[in-house]
Amino acid sequence: MKKSIITLVIAMVAMSSFAQSKSIEPEYIGQVVILNADSTTTLLQKETAKMKAKSSKWGMLPIPGAGMLDKSKVKLTIKGSEAPVKVKAGPLTLVIKTGNNEKDPKEVFGVWKLEVEKKARTFLVAEAGFLSGVTATTNYNNVPFVAKKYGEGCYIIFFDNIEPGEYAVNTDFANLSTFSVQ
């Protein structure tokens, strides 16, 4: 009798921990959730980013050499000045489902701090000018984090102290999971 009660308790604990770990993982590949303090999750909304190029238009002046002053920028742009999901500044934990967690996490996804403009949030991808040269963003992780393998095909991401601002988690360049830290 004592052995069957112990077995029953162990089975209940195992099922409980299995159910909790399943509810924490996002349902689909590419989804990102915030792990709240009460072990619930908040799904980050995916927003579509567009690539936009902008030139200073110095090259259009009919003055010899004016083209050397021209400068162009390429940015990923997301409409709206704030993400729909808002969190408080401080420690933050995210779980991202990638389908396979065998690679270095910094090769699979990136976390960006976005620049806020009037009606959009942007991330500078490249900048070029005749006099200033070309600079291209090759590091798509401009926010420091620690990531560990988690569950089946997921990573858990820890931020020690995330500062106020607009952020995006990229799993592909077209759809970014965004959040706002206040």
Side-chain angles (χ1 to χ4, degrees), residues 32 44 94 96 109-111 167-171 175-179:
V32 182
L44 295 184
L94 301 176
I96 179 170
F109 58 87
V111 182
Y167 294 86
V169 179
N170 76 314
T171 53
N175 297 300
L176 303 172
S177 299
T178 61
F179 62 99

Side-chain angles (χ1 to χ4, degrees), residues 46-118:
K46 288 215 179 242
E47 297 189 74
T48 303
K50 293 184 178 179
M51 191 83 71
K52 291 189 176 182
K54 192 172 188 179
S55 174
S56 62
K57 299 186 177 91
W58 278 101
M60 298 179 77
L61 292 175
I63 302 170
M68 290 193 296
L69 300 174
D70 198 22
K71 196 168 200 173
S72 299
K73 293 182 180 184
V74 178
K75 295 181 179 182
L76 280 175
T77 304
I78 305 168
K79 285 184 181 178
S81 59
E82 273 190 349
V85 176
K86 294 166 183 38
V87 297
K88 292 182 181 177
L92 180 68
T93 303
L94 301 176
V95 178
I96 179 170
K97 187 163 192 158
T98 59
N100 178 351
N101 58 5
E102 295 301 315
K103 287 186 171 183
D104 179 356
K106 295 190 184 212
E107 294 176 10
V108 179
F109 58 87
V111 182
W112 305 338
K113 185 165 186 182
L114 304 170
E115 295 294 321
V116 179
E117 296 179 356
K118 293 177 185 175

